[in-house]
């Protein structure tokens, strides 16, 4: 195996990447290699889908399969090798179906049929050993000796951006939102990768195109969330458990949570959110369920402690799964793209097994003292007080904005983001999104003119909201976003974060500080290129970075 798609990857003096029998995330080499082979097959689907599109026919069902399949390969999503063996077969079936239809349609329209190679012609082996032999030619670094680490890094950045954007598009799809033009963008990007590109400028341009695509995807997901559940509203969430039977929901998928809430109405079961599900409490139609009781635990990397202590079943709805501990392995369930060998998987949105487990387990035996935090400052909420924010900036009451967002993780150095929040001057406002907020969202930062200094904007995909707010402020002050007194300190971890970073770069945002460590696929030459073009830099110390930010804004 070779994998360096996330921040926790193995790093050494001789290079970076998990290359052992098991990755740091817990993914074994068989699963890792099958994921690479499946992505190779998805490029074959894309090759024919793009050509069918030129003949006037879209293939939405094949595109939706690609979204799902790509999502399964994200860090901490699916660890089930047998599932990937099946997905590889399904990938080839979709590819062959599109190939046949392309040949028929081209003949009907009098067009020459292209003789495509590579993924378009590949046929999966019939055995697991055979698939693993094929996978050696599908690894991300297979041509390292021929093209060099910079080209491999650029290909990786493009692929990881595609993966992250696909995951967001899948979340929107589950709520019934789809966009054929967006699907065409995924097809074109995967087809480009199928050509084994070696032009660095072309690869970087494509990475930025994925950033632009992801911006549209996040807008679609924003519309899906607000269209399904209402615009986020400021409010409080109780972090303390209450007496009663309980279910804990982790991950990102609001559709799964909504289905579970509907199916548990009136059953005497309290539903708690965990990790990136915290923002669910800001959506009116979700918080209208009285048994959506509160948030339990913190960020994903603490789930061994959180899930062990939770006295009920756990439902994992998207990325962020780590190997279930024996203490709760019999009461954790997966849904959607998530999977772990031997863990029960929910099919077709039927949460009866989770509900039965909740009735069988003790739940909480008493109410704990209430502990409230604020949520719900999405763009609608912030724009609702935009006049106050603008006046506060004009009068000098607000001197600076710090966007401290992104993923959390267990690696050393993430205390940097806590230190930035705590050391930010009292006349500054902190915008936050993603699960990195757990490091400081219980802290009382006070308010400026009635505006809380800490504004929780939601999940990582709610970077879209932050972009809208920044754009509105820039318009109000008749300047560019880069001219605002705004500094971005971004904690990255996995492929959704890569997609968001590419979006920010595609929008021309400069001066982003990224940490706690830079992506391993960013070679020194690539980092230099991005630093020159976008002033992208690694995080330093909180004190130095805050001082630098304030000096530049002065």
């Amino acid at each position: 195996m070779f994998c360096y798609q996330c921040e926790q990857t193995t790093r050494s003096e001789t290079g970076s990447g998990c290359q052992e029998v098991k990755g740091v995330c817990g993914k074994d080499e068989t699963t890792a290699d099958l994921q690479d082979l499946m992505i190779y097959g998805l490029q074959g689907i894309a090759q024919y889908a793009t050509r069918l599109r030129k003949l006037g026919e879209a293939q939405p069902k094949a595109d939706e399969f690609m979204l799902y399949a790509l999502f399964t390969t994200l860090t901490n999503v699916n660890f089930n090798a047998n599932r990937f063996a099946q997905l590889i077969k399904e990938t080839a079936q979709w590819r062959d179906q599109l190939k046949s239809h392309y040949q028929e349609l081209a003949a009907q329209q009098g067009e020459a049929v292209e003789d495509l190679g590579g993924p378009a012609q590949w046929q999966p082996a019939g055995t697991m050993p055979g698939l693993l032999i094929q996978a050696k030619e599908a690894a991300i670094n297979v041509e390292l000796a021929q093209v060099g680490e910079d080209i491999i890094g650029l290909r990786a950045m493009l692929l990881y951006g595609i993966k992250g954007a696909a995951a967001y598009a899948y979340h929107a799809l589950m709520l019934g939102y789809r966009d054929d033009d967006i699907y065409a963008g995924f097809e074109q990007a995967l087809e480009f990768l199928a050509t084994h590109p070696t032009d660095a400028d072309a690869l970087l341009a494509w990475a930025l195109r994925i950033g632009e695509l992801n911006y549209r995807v996040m807008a679609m997901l924003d519309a899906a969330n607000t269209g399904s559940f209402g615009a986020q509203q400021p409010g409080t969430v109780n972090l303390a458990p209450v007496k009663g039977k309980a279910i804990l929901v982790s991950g990102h998928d609001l559709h799964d949570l909504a289905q579970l809430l509907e199916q548990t109405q009136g059953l005497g079961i309290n539903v708690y959110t965990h990790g990136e599900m915290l923002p669910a409490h800001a959506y009116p139609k979700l918080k209208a369920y009285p048994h959506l009781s509160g948030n339990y635990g913190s960020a994903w990397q603490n789930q061994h402690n959180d899930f062990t202590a939770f006295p009920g079943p756990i439902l994992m709805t998207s990325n962020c799964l780590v190997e279930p501990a024996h203490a709760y392995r019999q009461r954790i369930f997966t849904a959607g793209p998530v999977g772990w060998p031997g863990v029960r998987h929910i099919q077709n949105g039927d949460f009866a097994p989770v509900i039965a487990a909740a009735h069988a387990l003790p739940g909480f035996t008493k109410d704990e003292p209430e502990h409230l935090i604020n949520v719900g400052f999405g763009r609608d909420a912030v724009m609702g007080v935009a006049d106050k924010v603008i006046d506060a900036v004009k009068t000098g009451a607000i001197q600076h904005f710090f966007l401290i967002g992104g993923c959390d993780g267990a690696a050393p150095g993430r205390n940097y983001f806590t230190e930035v929040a705590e050391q930010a001057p009292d006349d500054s406002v902190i915008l936050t999104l993603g699960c990195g907020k757990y490091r400081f969202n219980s802290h009382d930062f006070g308010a400026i003119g009635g505006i809380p200094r800490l504004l929780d904007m939601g999940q990582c995909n709610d970077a879209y909201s932050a972009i809208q707010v920044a754009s509105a402020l820039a318009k109000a002050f008749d300047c560019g976003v880069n001219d605002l007194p705004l500094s971005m300190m971004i904690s990255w971890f996995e492929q959704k974060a890569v997609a968001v970073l590419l979006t920010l770069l595609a929008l021309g945002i400069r001066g982003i500080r990224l940490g706690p460590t830079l992506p391993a696929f960013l070679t020194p030459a690539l980092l230099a290129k991005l630093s020159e073009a976008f002033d992208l830099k690694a995080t330093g110390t909180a004190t130095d970075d805050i001082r630098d930010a304030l000096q530049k804004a002065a």
Side-chain angles (χ1 to χ4, degrees), residues 222-540:
D222 178 84
N225 288 338
T226 57
S228 301
F229 309 118
Q232 288 191 50
Q233 296 175 349
T236 58
V237 179
N238 187 16
L239 301 185
V242 296
K243 183 178 180 179
K245 302 289 186 178
I247 295 173
L248 186 63
V249 184
S250 192
H252 299 74
D253 200 285
L254 298 182
H255 177 253
D256 281 339
L257 175 62
Q259 287 186 301
L260 179 65
L261 288 169
E262 186 65 24
Q263 294 175 31
T264 50
Q265 280 195 102
L267 299 182
I269 299 172
N270 295 319
V271 176
Y272 296 82
T273 57
H274 178 272
E276 278 270 59
M277 295 300 290
L278 170 63
H281 297 271
Y283 290 96
K285 291 185 180 180
L286 292 178
K287 67 180 182 180
Y289 288 96
H291 60 300
L292 181 60
S293 298
N295 190 77
Y296 182 89
S298 57
W300 70 274
Q301 77 276 4
N302 299 319
Q303 64 189 255
H304 276 169
N305 291 330
D306 294 343
F307 293 177
T308 297
F310 190 78
I314 302 106
L315 174 67
M316 182 61 71
T317 68
S318 69
N319 47 313
C320 298
L321 175 69
V322 299
E323 181 174 1
H326 290 292
Y328 59 84
R329 184 167 294 203
Q330 298 306 311
R331 54 186 172 89
I332 187 170
F333 298 80
T334 59
V338 192
W340 188 278
V343 168
R344 287 173 287 180
H345 189 77
I346 298 301
Q347 301 286 353
N348 303 316
D350 181 3
F351 294 103
V354 183
I355 295 169
H359 283 307
L361 291 163
F364 291 101
T365 58
K366 63 178 181 178
D367 295 341
E368 296 293 338
E370 193 174 63
H371 180 191
L372 302 178
I373 61 170
N374 295 317
V375 295
F377 292 95
R379 78 173 190 285
D380 295 282
V382 177
M383 298 297 283
V385 294
D387 55 340
K388 294 182 180 179
V389 174
I390 292 168
D391 287 343
V393 174
K394 288 181 176 178
T395 62
I398 295 177
Q399 291 286 331
H400 206 81
F401 296 89
F402 290 93
L403 175 61
I404 309 172
C407 313
D408 205 355
R414 290 184 178 271
N415 56 313
Y416 164 88
F417 301 98
T418 308
E419 293 169 359
V420 170
E422 292 177 344
Q423 294 179 29
D426 291 342
D427 56 6
S428 64
V429 171
I430 301 165
L431 309 174
T432 188
L433 47 87
C435 63
K437 69 171 72 78
Y438 279 105
R439 291 183 174 263
F440 50 80
N441 66 346
S442 291
H443 183 81
D444 183 6
F445 289 94
I448 299 175
I451 302 168
R453 284 192 58 231
L454 178 64
L455 301 178
D456 183 351
M457 305 195 79
Q459 294 182 334
C460 54
N461 52 279
D462 288 308
Y464 178 77
S465 275
I467 292 168
Q468 300 311 303
V469 169
S471 298
L473 288 174
K475 183 177 180 180
F477 291 109
D478 192 24
C479 66
V481 171
N482 291 317
D483 300 316
L484 291 171
L486 168 67
S487 300
M488 297 187 182
M489 283 74 167
I490 307 297
S491 59
W492 88 284
F493 186 82
E494 41 78 85
Q495 297 78 67
K496 287 180 177 177
V498 174
V500 172
L501 176 63
L502 293 178
T503 294
L504 294 174
L505 298 182
L507 292 173
I509 306 299
R510 295 179 57 83
I512 298 170
R513 290 191 178 273
L514 188 66
T517 54
L518 292 171
F521 52 83
L522 283 185
T523 64
L526 296 183
L527 178 59
K529 194 176 186 72
L530 293 176
S531 297
E532 179 182 0
F534 302 104
D535 193 26
L536 180 70
K537 61 190 73 174
T539 53

Side-chain angles (χ1 to χ4, degrees), residues 66-340:
M66 285 199 298
L67 297 182
Y68 171 82
L70 285 164
F71 198 166
T72 63
T73 70
L74 265 68
T75 301
N76 295 100
V77 176
N78 200 304
F79 299 79
N80 193 332
N82 290 331
R83 178 62 180 135
F84 285 103
Q86 178 59 35
L87 281 171
I88 287 170
K89 293 180 182 178
E90 294 175 26
T91 298
Q93 289 168 358
W94 273 109
R95 191 271 322 278
D96 290 345
Q97 180 179 322
L98 267 60
K99 175 182 178 180
S100 177
H101 188 48
Y102 162 66
Q103 292 172 339
E104 293 173 2
L105 196 60
Q108 290 172 10
Q109 297 184 11
E111 297 287 341
V113 175
E114 293 185 59
D115 185 18
L116 302 176
Q121 297 297 331
W122 158 80
Q123 291 296 330
T127 65
M128 183 69 81
L131 290 174
L132 294 177
I133 291 172
Q134 290 181 332
K136 294 178 181 179
E137 299 304 315
I140 189 71
N141 65 340
V142 68
E143 294 181 324
L144 178 61
Q146 291 79 21
V147 302
E149 63 177 1
D150 295 340
I151 295 301
I152 295 298
L154 281 166
R155 290 178 184 174
M157 183 165 67
L158 173 55
L159 174 60
Y160 302 155
I162 292 170
K163 288 186 178 188
Y168 287 144
Y170 180 82
H171 286 309
L173 176 64
M174 291 301 96
L175 292 170
Y177 284 68
R178 50 179 62 80
D179 185 315
D180 191 59
D181 289 338
I182 286 175
Y183 291 173
F186 284 113
E187 294 169 6
Q188 293 160 7
L190 285 171
E191 183 193 21
F192 176 70
L193 280 176
T195 67
H196 297 275
T198 58
D199 184 295
D201 290 336
L203 276 159
L204 181 56
W206 262 103
L208 296 180
R209 283 181 65 174
I210 287 299
E212 294 168 357
L213 179 71
N214 186 59
Y215 180 68
R216 294 163 57 201
V217 170
M218 290 194 299
M220 179 173 66
L221 180 53
D222 178 84
N225 288 338
T226 57
S228 301
F229 309 118
Q232 288 191 50
Q233 296 175 349
T236 58
V237 179
N238 187 16
L239 301 185
V242 296
K243 183 178 180 179
K245 302 289 186 178
I247 295 173
L248 186 63
V249 184
S250 192
H252 299 74
D253 200 285
L254 298 182
H255 177 253
D256 281 339
L257 175 62
Q259 287 186 301
L260 179 65
L261 288 169
E262 186 65 24
Q263 294 175 31
T264 50
Q265 280 195 102
L267 299 182
I269 299 172
N270 295 319
V271 176
Y272 296 82
T273 57
H274 178 272
E276 278 270 59
M277 295 300 290
L278 170 63
H281 297 271
Y283 290 96
K285 291 185 180 180
L286 292 178
K287 67 180 182 180
Y289 288 96
H291 60 300
L292 181 60
S293 298
N295 190 77
Y296 182 89
S298 57
W300 70 274
Q301 77 276 4
N302 299 319
Q303 64 189 255
H304 276 169
N305 291 330
D306 294 343
F307 293 177
T308 297
F310 190 78
I314 302 106
L315 174 67
M316 182 61 71
T317 68
S318 69
N319 47 313
C320 298
L321 175 69
V322 299
E323 181 174 1
H326 290 292
Y328 59 84
R329 184 167 294 203
Q330 298 306 311
R331 54 186 172 89
I332 187 170
F333 298 80
T334 59
V338 192
W340 188 278

